[in-house]
Amino acid sequence: MKKVMNFKYNDSISTGSTNYYTTVTSAIPNNDDRVVIVDSYNEIEKLGDVGKYSIFDIANWFLNKGDMTQKKLQKLCYYAQAWCYALKEKRLIKSDFQAWVHGPVSPALYDRFKQFGYDTIKISGTYKCNISKEDVSLLEDIWETYGDKTGNALEALTHRELPWIEARRGYAENERCTVVISPEAMKMYYKSIYVGE
C-alpha cells in the first residue's frame, strides 16, 4: 500500500553560488511541495507514527551544526530516523530512505541539494528550530556519535549494516535501487547494537 503526503515550500528561498545555499529564514525549506511516496506505510503504521518532522526540519538542524556534503547530511538524517525507530519505536521524519548505491538516501533531500554534487553545503541566514527538546536530545546524540565523520566514512558504515544490505538484496554493487529501507529492519538492527544506558 502507498500513502502520499504533500508539503509546501517556504517562499523565502534564494540560492547563491554553487557552493552556497542561502535563505532569509532557514538553511533549507521547512516544507516541500513535491509528493513523497511512502511504500511501507503499513509497516510505519504498526510503529504508531507517520513522522513528526519533514526531512528539511531535520536537515536544517544538522546544517546549523556546520558545513557538510550532501552525502554526510543524508546519512545523518538517516541515522536520526533509524535511531528514533530503535530507541523510541516511532518515526521521526515524514520521508523514507531508499537503498541507493552510496547508502541510504531521502529522494526529497537529494532533489533539493543535487546541484551541489560532492561540494560542501554552506549556509547563511538564521534557522528557527521547531523541534521538541526530546527530539533535539536525540539529534544531539546522533551528532555526537556521527558528526565528526565524513560522508564517505558514513557511507562505508551504512554499507556494513543490515537495513541497507537487506534492501539492496538482489541488486548489483553499482546498480540503481529505489527500494525503501524497512522501518522494522532499522528498528530491530539498531536496537540490537545499542549499548547505551
Side-chain angles (χ1 to χ4, degrees), residues 88-126:
K88 300 180 180 192
E89 296 196 5
K90 67 178 186 177
R91 185 176 179 83
L92 182 70
I93 303 169
K94 295 174 185 173
S95 182
D96 279 322
F97 289 83
Q98 296 177 356
W100 288 21
V101 169
H102 294 288
V105 169
S106 160
L109 192 59
Y110 174 80
D111 285 345
R112 191 65 193 136
F113 286 113
K114 64 186 173 188
Q115 75 270 18
F116 288 95
Y118 294 106
D119 292 336
T120 299
I121 302 165
K122 298 178 182 181
I123 63 168
S124 62
T126 58

mmCIF file of all heavy atoms in Angstrom, residues 88-126:
data_model
loop_
_atom_site.group_PDB
_atom_site.id
_atom_site.type_symbol
_atom_site.label_atom_id
_atom_site.label_comp_id
_atom_site.label_asym_id
_atom_site.label_seq_id
_atom_site.Cartn_x
_atom_site.Cartn_y
_atom_site.Cartn_z
ATOM 1 N N LYS A 88 12.856 4.852 20.344
ATOM 2 C CA LYS A 88 11.546 5.384 20.715
ATOM 3 C C LYS A 88 10.399 4.642 20.052
ATOM 4 O O LYS A 88 9.234 4.933 20.336
ATOM 5 C CB LYS A 88 11.469 6.868 20.360
ATOM 6 C CG LYS A 88 12.524 7.695 21.075
ATOM 7 C CD LYS A 88 12.406 9.146 20.704
ATOM 8 C CE LYS A 88 13.465 9.960 21.427
ATOM 9 N NZ LYS A 88 13.221 11.386 21.319
ATOM 10 N N GLU A 89 10.739 3.732 19.128
ATOM 11 C CA GLU A 89 9.747 2.961 18.380
ATOM 12 C C GLU A 89 8.728 3.852 17.681
ATOM 13 O O GLU A 89 7.532 3.561 17.641
ATOM 14 C CB GLU A 89 9.067 1.931 19.275
ATOM 15 C CG GLU A 89 10.042 0.895 19.792
ATOM 16 C CD GLU A 89 9.367 -0.335 20.358
ATOM 17 O OE1 GLU A 89 8.129 -0.454 20.278
ATOM 18 O OE2 GLU A 89 10.105 -1.181 20.864
ATOM 19 N N LYS A 90 9.226 4.956 17.145
ATOM 20 C CA LYS A 90 8.364 5.842 16.362
ATOM 21 C C LYS A 90 9.166 6.457 15.235
ATOM 22 O O LYS A 90 10.390 6.471 15.236
ATOM 23 C CB LYS A 90 7.733 6.929 17.236
ATOM 24 C CG LYS A 90 8.708 7.930 17.795
ATOM 25 C CD LYS A 90 7.978 8.983 18.598
ATOM 26 C CE LYS A 90 8.954 10.080 19.040
ATOM 27 N NZ LYS A 90 8.268 11.148 19.752
ATOM 28 N N ARG A 91 8.447 6.957 14.277
ATOM 29 C CA ARG A 91 9.018 7.580 13.085
ATOM 30 C C ARG A 91 9.293 9.048 13.393
ATOM 31 O O ARG A 91 8.433 9.755 13.887
ATOM 32 C CB ARG A 91 7.999 7.425 11.958
ATOM 33 C CG ARG A 91 8.438 7.890 10.616
ATOM 34 C CD ARG A 91 7.313 7.551 9.618
ATOM 35 N NE ARG A 91 7.628 7.969 8.286
ATOM 36 C CZ ARG A 91 8.377 7.264 7.454
ATOM 37 N NH1 ARG A 91 8.867 6.111 7.826
ATOM 38 N NH2 ARG A 91 8.625 7.705 6.238
ATOM 39 N N LEU A 92 10.473 9.525 13.057
ATOM 40 C CA LEU A 92 10.846 10.918 13.290
ATOM 41 C C LEU A 92 10.547 11.783 12.077
ATOM 42 O O LEU A 92 10.018 12.884 12.200
ATOM 43 C CB LEU A 92 12.344 10.995 13.620
ATOM 44 C CG LEU A 92 12.903 12.367 13.946
ATOM 45 C CD1 LEU A 92 12.372 12.855 15.295
ATOM 46 C CD2 LEU A 92 14.433 12.338 13.953
ATOM 47 N N ILE A 93 10.886 11.279 10.876
ATOM 48 C CA ILE A 93 10.846 12.061 9.639
ATOM 49 C C ILE A 93 9.759 11.527 8.715
ATOM 50 O O ILE A 93 9.582 10.321 8.578
ATOM 51 C CB ILE A 93 12.222 11.996 8.935
ATOM 52 C CG1 ILE A 93 13.325 12.486 9.873
ATOM 53 C CG2 ILE A 93 12.211 12.798 7.646
ATOM 54 C CD1 ILE A 93 14.733 12.218 9.352
ATOM 55 N N LYS A 94 9.067 12.418 8.043
ATOM 56 C CA LYS A 94 7.968 12.046 7.140
ATOM 57 C C LYS A 94 8.453 11.474 5.810
ATOM 58 O O LYS A 94 7.650 11.161 4.960
ATOM 59 C CB LYS A 94 7.097 13.275 6.861
ATOM 60 C CG LYS A 94 6.391 13.805 8.075
ATOM 61 C CD LYS A 94 5.675 15.101 7.759
ATOM 62 C CE LYS A 94 5.076 15.707 9.000
ATOM 63 N NZ LYS A 94 4.526 17.036 8.756
ATOM 64 N N SER A 95 9.730 11.378 5.616
ATOM 65 C CA SER A 95 10.308 10.895 4.362
ATOM 66 C C SER A 95 10.941 9.524 4.574
ATOM 67 O O SER A 95 11.485 9.259 5.639
ATOM 68 C CB SER A 95 11.373 11.896 3.892
ATOM 69 O OG SER A 95 11.926 11.511 2.667
ATOM 70 N N ASP A 96 10.868 8.680 3.551
ATOM 71 C CA ASP A 96 11.546 7.385 3.604
ATOM 72 C C ASP A 96 12.969 7.520 3.081
ATOM 73 O O ASP A 96 13.312 8.485 2.405
ATOM 74 C CB ASP A 96 10.811 6.368 2.725
ATOM 75 C CG ASP A 96 9.615 5.777 3.431
ATOM 76 O OD1 ASP A 96 9.698 5.525 4.642
ATOM 77 O OD2 ASP A 96 8.589 5.555 2.757
ATOM 78 N N PHE A 97 13.773 6.505 3.370
ATOM 79 C CA PHE A 97 15.134 6.420 2.854
ATOM 80 C C PHE A 97 15.227 5.200 1.952
ATOM 81 O O PHE A 97 14.778 4.119 2.312
ATOM 82 C CB PHE A 97 16.146 6.326 4.000
ATOM 83 C CG PHE A 97 16.275 7.613 4.745
ATOM 84 C CD1 PHE A 97 15.382 7.944 5.749
ATOM 85 C CD2 PHE A 97 17.263 8.526 4.403
ATOM 86 C CE1 PHE A 97 15.473 9.150 6.417
ATOM 87 C CE2 PHE A 97 17.367 9.738 5.059
ATOM 88 C CZ PHE A 97 16.468 10.051 6.070
ATOM 89 N N GLN A 98 15.803 5.400 0.777
ATOM 90 C CA GLN A 98 15.966 4.320 -0.185
ATOM 91 C C GLN A 98 17.409 3.826 -0.167
ATOM 92 O O GLN A 98 18.328 4.566 0.195
ATOM 93 C CB GLN A 98 15.600 4.819 -1.589
ATOM 94 C CG GLN A 98 14.152 5.227 -1.715
ATOM 95 C CD GLN A 98 13.812 5.787 -3.089
ATOM 96 O OE1 GLN A 98 14.671 5.955 -3.951
ATOM 97 N NE2 GLN A 98 12.533 6.084 -3.296
ATOM 98 N N ALA A 99 17.604 2.579 -0.579
ATOM 99 C CA ALA A 99 18.928 1.935 -0.557
ATOM 100 C C ALA A 99 19.682 2.227 -1.855
ATOM 101 O O ALA A 99 19.798 1.382 -2.729
ATOM 102 C CB ALA A 99 18.772 0.435 -0.330
ATOM 103 N N TRP A 100 20.186 3.431 -1.993
ATOM 104 C CA TRP A 100 20.933 3.831 -3.177
ATOM 105 C C TRP A 100 22.344 3.262 -3.119
ATOM 106 O O TRP A 100 22.787 2.745 -2.094
ATOM 107 C CB TRP A 100 20.972 5.353 -3.294
ATOM 108 C CG TRP A 100 19.658 5.979 -3.702
ATOM 109 C CD1 TRP A 100 18.407 5.432 -3.584
ATOM 110 C CD2 TRP A 100 19.474 7.273 -4.265
ATOM 111 N NE1 TRP A 100 17.453 6.298 -4.045
ATOM 112 C CE2 TRP A 100 18.078 7.451 -4.468
ATOM 113 C CE3 TRP A 100 20.323 8.302 -4.611
ATOM 114 C CZ2 TRP A 100 17.537 8.610 -5.011
ATOM 115 C CZ3 TRP A 100 19.787 9.471 -5.151
ATOM 116 C CH2 TRP A 100 18.410 9.610 -5.350
ATOM 117 N N VAL A 101 23.065 3.379 -4.215
ATOM 118 C CA VAL A 101 24.428 2.846 -4.322
ATOM 119 C C VAL A 101 25.335 3.383 -3.213
ATOM 120 O O VAL A 101 26.107 2.641 -2.622
ATOM 121 C CB VAL A 101 25.032 3.164 -5.714
ATOM 122 C CG1 VAL A 101 26.520 2.858 -5.754
ATOM 123 C CG2 VAL A 101 24.290 2.387 -6.802
ATOM 124 N N HIS A 102 25.224 4.677 -2.917
ATOM 125 C CA HIS A 102 26.109 5.295 -1.922
ATOM 126 C C HIS A 102 25.506 5.308 -0.520
ATOM 127 O O HIS A 102 25.917 6.100 0.324
ATOM 128 C CB HIS A 102 26.491 6.712 -2.360
ATOM 129 C CG HIS A 102 27.330 6.721 -3.596
ATOM 130 N ND1 HIS A 102 28.650 6.320 -3.610
ATOM 131 C CD2 HIS A 102 27.026 7.055 -4.876
ATOM 132 C CE1 HIS A 102 29.131 6.419 -4.834
ATOM 133 N NE2 HIS A 102 28.165 6.854 -5.631
ATOM 134 N N GLY A 103 24.558 4.439 -0.262
ATOM 135 C CA GLY A 103 23.965 4.346 1.071
ATOM 136 C C GLY A 103 22.544 4.878 1.096
ATOM 137 O O GLY A 103 21.964 5.215 0.062
ATOM 138 N N PRO A 104 21.962 4.991 2.298
ATOM 139 C CA PRO A 104 20.586 5.470 2.435
ATOM 140 C C PRO A 104 20.431 6.912 1.958
ATOM 141 O O PRO A 104 21.248 7.774 2.280
ATOM 142 C CB PRO A 104 20.339 5.389 3.950
ATOM 143 C CG PRO A 104 21.341 4.395 4.450
ATOM 144 C CD PRO A 104 22.540 4.573 3.581
ATOM 145 N N VAL A 105 19.355 7.157 1.195
ATOM 146 C CA VAL A 105 19.109 8.489 0.632
ATOM 147 C C VAL A 105 17.619 8.808 0.718
ATOM 148 O O VAL A 105 16.781 7.978 0.379
ATOM 149 C CB VAL A 105 19.579 8.564 -0.843
ATOM 150 C CG1 VAL A 105 19.100 9.842 -1.521
ATOM 151 C CG2 VAL A 105 21.096 8.455 -0.935
ATOM 152 N N SER A 106 17.318 10.032 1.159
ATOM 153 C CA SER A 106 15.969 10.565 1.046
ATOM 154 C C SER A 106 15.881 11.242 -0.316
ATOM 155 O O SER A 106 16.596 12.223 -0.563
ATOM 156 C CB SER A 106 15.703 11.604 2.143
ATOM 157 O OG SER A 106 14.619 12.431 1.776
ATOM 158 N N PRO A 107 15.037 10.751 -1.231
ATOM 159 C CA PRO A 107 14.938 11.367 -2.557
ATOM 160 C C PRO A 107 14.578 12.854 -2.503
ATOM 161 O O PRO A 107 15.099 13.649 -3.290
ATOM 162 C CB PRO A 107 13.857 10.549 -3.260
ATOM 163 C CG PRO A 107 13.906 9.221 -2.590
ATOM 164 C CD PRO A 107 14.223 9.527 -1.147
ATOM 165 N N ALA A 108 13.712 13.260 -1.578
ATOM 166 C CA ALA A 108 13.323 14.672 -1.474
ATOM 167 C C ALA A 108 14.526 15.541 -1.114
ATOM 168 O O ALA A 108 14.728 16.617 -1.681
ATOM 169 C CB ALA A 108 12.219 14.844 -0.434
ATOM 170 N N LEU A 109 15.347 15.063 -0.194
ATOM 171 C CA LEU A 109 16.542 15.816 0.201
ATOM 172 C C LEU A 109 17.569 15.826 -0.934
ATOM 173 O O LEU A 109 18.198 16.844 -1.202
ATOM 174 C CB LEU A 109 17.149 15.204 1.463
ATOM 175 C CG LEU A 109 18.231 16.018 2.164
ATOM 176 C CD1 LEU A 109 17.717 17.382 2.594
ATOM 177 C CD2 LEU A 109 18.762 15.245 3.369
ATOM 178 N N TYR A 110 17.696 14.713 -1.621
ATOM 179 C CA TYR A 110 18.611 14.648 -2.766
ATOM 180 C C TYR A 110 18.207 15.671 -3.833
ATOM 181 O O TYR A 110 19.046 16.415 -4.347
ATOM 182 C CB TYR A 110 18.630 13.242 -3.362
ATOM 183 C CG TYR A 110 19.455 13.181 -4.626
ATOM 184 C CD1 TYR A 110 20.845 13.103 -4.561
ATOM 185 C CD2 TYR A 110 18.847 13.257 -5.874
ATOM 186 C CE1 TYR A 110 21.607 13.103 -5.717
ATOM 187 C CE2 TYR A 110 19.605 13.247 -7.041
ATOM 188 C CZ TYR A 110 20.982 13.171 -6.954
ATOM 189 O OH TYR A 110 21.732 13.182 -8.098
ATOM 190 N N ASP A 111 16.916 15.707 -4.156
ATOM 191 C CA ASP A 111 16.441 16.650 -5.174
ATOM 192 C C ASP A 111 16.761 18.089 -4.793
ATOM 193 O O ASP A 111 17.106 18.902 -5.641
ATOM 194 C CB ASP A 111 14.933 16.505 -5.397
ATOM 195 C CG ASP A 111 14.574 15.261 -6.185
ATOM 196 O OD1 ASP A 111 15.473 14.650 -6.798
ATOM 197 O OD2 ASP A 111 13.380 14.895 -6.177
ATOM 198 N N ARG A 112 16.653 18.395 -3.515
ATOM 199 C CA ARG A 112 16.888 19.760 -3.048
ATOM 200 C C ARG A 112 18.352 20.166 -3.180
ATOM 201 O O ARG A 112 18.658 21.321 -3.423
ATOM 202 C CB ARG A 112 16.427 19.889 -1.594
ATOM 203 C CG ARG A 112 16.392 21.295 -1.123
ATOM 204 C CD ARG A 112 15.334 22.079 -1.898
ATOM 205 N NE ARG A 112 15.493 23.479 -1.671
ATOM 206 C CZ ARG A 112 15.426 24.396 -2.622
ATOM 207 N NH1 ARG A 112 15.173 24.039 -3.855
ATOM 208 N NH2 ARG A 112 15.578 25.650 -2.344
ATOM 209 N N PHE A 113 19.277 19.225 -2.997
ATOM 210 C CA PHE A 113 20.704 19.562 -2.949
ATOM 211 C C PHE A 113 21.540 18.961 -4.063
ATOM 212 O O PHE A 113 22.758 19.065 -4.041
ATOM 213 C CB PHE A 113 21.296 19.147 -1.598
ATOM 214 C CG PHE A 113 20.890 20.056 -0.486
ATOM 215 C CD1 PHE A 113 20.074 19.592 0.520
ATOM 216 C CD2 PHE A 113 21.318 21.371 -0.453
ATOM 217 C CE1 PHE A 113 19.695 20.437 1.556
ATOM 218 C CE2 PHE A 113 20.945 22.222 0.573
ATOM 219 C CZ PHE A 113 20.124 21.748 1.585
ATOM 220 N N LYS A 114 20.919 18.344 -5.066
ATOM 221 C CA LYS A 114 21.705 17.669 -6.096
ATOM 222 C C LYS A 114 22.617 18.615 -6.859
ATOM 223 O O LYS A 114 23.662 18.189 -7.366
ATOM 224 C CB LYS A 114 20.806 16.887 -7.049
ATOM 225 C CG LYS A 114 19.863 17.718 -7.865
ATOM 226 C CD LYS A 114 18.925 16.820 -8.665
ATOM 227 C CE LYS A 114 17.864 17.642 -9.361
ATOM 228 N NZ LYS A 114 16.846 16.775 -9.963
ATOM 229 N N GLN A 115 22.284 19.900 -6.925
ATOM 230 C CA GLN A 115 23.138 20.848 -7.641
ATOM 231 C C GLN A 115 24.506 21.006 -6.981
ATOM 232 O O GLN A 115 25.452 21.462 -7.612
ATOM 233 C CB GLN A 115 22.455 22.228 -7.786
ATOM 234 C CG GLN A 115 22.409 23.065 -6.527
ATOM 235 C CD GLN A 115 21.155 22.830 -5.693
ATOM 236 O OE1 GLN A 115 20.457 21.837 -5.849
ATOM 237 N NE2 GLN A 115 20.881 23.747 -4.786
ATOM 238 N N PHE A 116 24.654 20.618 -5.725
ATOM 239 C CA PHE A 116 25.945 20.726 -5.044
ATOM 240 C C PHE A 116 26.893 19.593 -5.418
ATOM 241 O O PHE A 116 28.094 19.702 -5.212
ATOM 242 C CB PHE A 116 25.746 20.736 -3.523
ATOM 243 C CG PHE A 116 25.154 22.020 -3.023
ATOM 244 C CD1 PHE A 116 23.791 22.135 -2.836
ATOM 245 C CD2 PHE A 116 25.957 23.116 -2.764
ATOM 246 C CE1 PHE A 116 23.229 23.312 -2.385
ATOM 247 C CE2 PHE A 116 25.409 24.304 -2.320
ATOM 248 C CZ PHE A 116 24.039 24.406 -2.134
ATOM 249 N N GLY A 117 26.353 18.496 -5.935
ATOM 250 C CA GLY A 117 27.204 17.355 -6.255
ATOM 251 C C GLY A 117 27.972 16.919 -5.017
ATOM 252 O O GLY A 117 27.387 16.657 -3.977
ATOM 253 N N TYR A 118 29.307 16.886 -5.133
ATOM 254 C CA TYR A 118 30.150 16.496 -3.998
ATOM 255 C C TYR A 118 30.687 17.697 -3.236
ATOM 256 O O TYR A 118 31.479 17.549 -2.312
ATOM 257 C CB TYR A 118 31.309 15.616 -4.476
ATOM 258 C CG TYR A 118 30.840 14.282 -5.007
ATOM 259 C CD1 TYR A 118 30.844 14.018 -6.375
ATOM 260 C CD2 TYR A 118 30.369 13.308 -4.147
ATOM 261 C CE1 TYR A 118 30.393 12.797 -6.865
ATOM 262 C CE2 TYR A 118 29.908 12.083 -4.628
ATOM 263 C CZ TYR A 118 29.936 11.837 -5.984
ATOM 264 O OH TYR A 118 29.480 10.636 -6.467
ATOM 265 N N ASP A 119 30.262 18.919 -3.623
ATOM 266 C CA ASP A 119 30.708 20.131 -2.940
ATOM 267 C C ASP A 119 30.067 20.246 -1.561
ATOM 268 O O ASP A 119 28.992 19.697 -1.311
ATOM 269 C CB ASP A 119 30.359 21.382 -3.753
ATOM 270 C CG ASP A 119 31.152 21.475 -5.047
ATOM 271 O OD1 ASP A 119 32.237 20.872 -5.120
ATOM 272 O OD2 ASP A 119 30.665 22.139 -5.983
ATOM 273 N N THR A 120 30.703 21.018 -0.719
ATOM 274 C CA THR A 120 30.196 21.260 0.625
ATOM 275 C C THR A 120 29.017 22.232 0.577
ATOM 276 O O THR A 120 29.059 23.233 -0.126
ATOM 277 C CB THR A 120 31.324 21.844 1.504
ATOM 278 O OG1 THR A 120 32.380 20.890 1.562
ATOM 279 C CG2 THR A 120 30.847 22.141 2.913
ATOM 280 N N ILE A 121 27.997 21.931 1.359
ATOM 281 C CA ILE A 121 26.857 22.829 1.504
ATOM 282 C C ILE A 121 27.194 23.778 2.647
ATOM 283 O O ILE A 121 27.473 23.336 3.765
ATOM 284 C CB ILE A 121 25.566 22.061 1.852
ATOM 285 C CG1 ILE A 121 25.255 21.016 0.782
ATOM 286 C CG2 ILE A 121 24.402 23.025 2.048
ATOM 287 C CD1 ILE A 121 24.218 19.992 1.211
ATOM 288 N N LYS A 122 27.207 25.071 2.344
ATOM 289 C CA LYS A 122 27.458 26.080 3.375
ATOM 290 C C LYS A 122 26.212 26.927 3.474
ATOM 291 O O LYS A 122 25.620 27.284 2.460
ATOM 292 C CB LYS A 122 28.661 26.941 2.997
ATOM 293 C CG LYS A 122 29.936 26.138 2.881
ATOM 294 C CD LYS A 122 31.089 27.004 2.450
ATOM 295 C CE LYS A 122 32.343 26.158 2.303
ATOM 296 N NZ LYS A 122 33.496 26.958 1.902
ATOM 297 N N ILE A 123 25.805 27.248 4.675
ATOM 298 C CA ILE A 123 24.573 28.010 4.836
ATOM 299 C C ILE A 123 24.843 29.376 5.434
ATOM 300 O O ILE A 123 25.843 29.593 6.108
ATOM 301 C CB ILE A 123 23.540 27.251 5.697
ATOM 302 C CG1 ILE A 123 24.070 27.041 7.113
ATOM 303 C CG2 ILE A 123 23.153 25.940 5.062
ATOM 304 C CD1 ILE A 123 23.023 26.566 8.092
ATOM 305 N N SER A 124 23.928 30.289 5.165
ATOM 306 C CA SER A 124 23.935 31.575 5.839
ATOM 307 C C SER A 124 22.494 31.919 6.148
ATOM 308 O O SER A 124 21.568 31.303 5.625
ATOM 309 C CB SER A 124 24.589 32.647 4.962
ATOM 310 O OG SER A 124 23.854 32.818 3.781
ATOM 311 N N GLY A 125 22.291 32.875 7.012
ATOM 312 C CA GLY A 125 20.945 33.186 7.454
ATOM 313 C C GLY A 125 20.684 32.516 8.787
ATOM 314 O O GLY A 125 21.585 31.966 9.412
ATOM 315 N N THR A 126 19.464 32.589 9.224
ATOM 316 C CA THR A 126 19.115 32.016 10.520
ATOM 317 C C THR A 126 18.090 30.912 10.343
ATOM 318 O O THR A 126 17.336 30.896 9.378
ATOM 319 C CB THR A 126 18.533 33.089 11.457
ATOM 320 O OG1 THR A 126 17.393 33.665 10.825
ATOM 321 C CG2 THR A 126 19.555 34.160 11.768
#
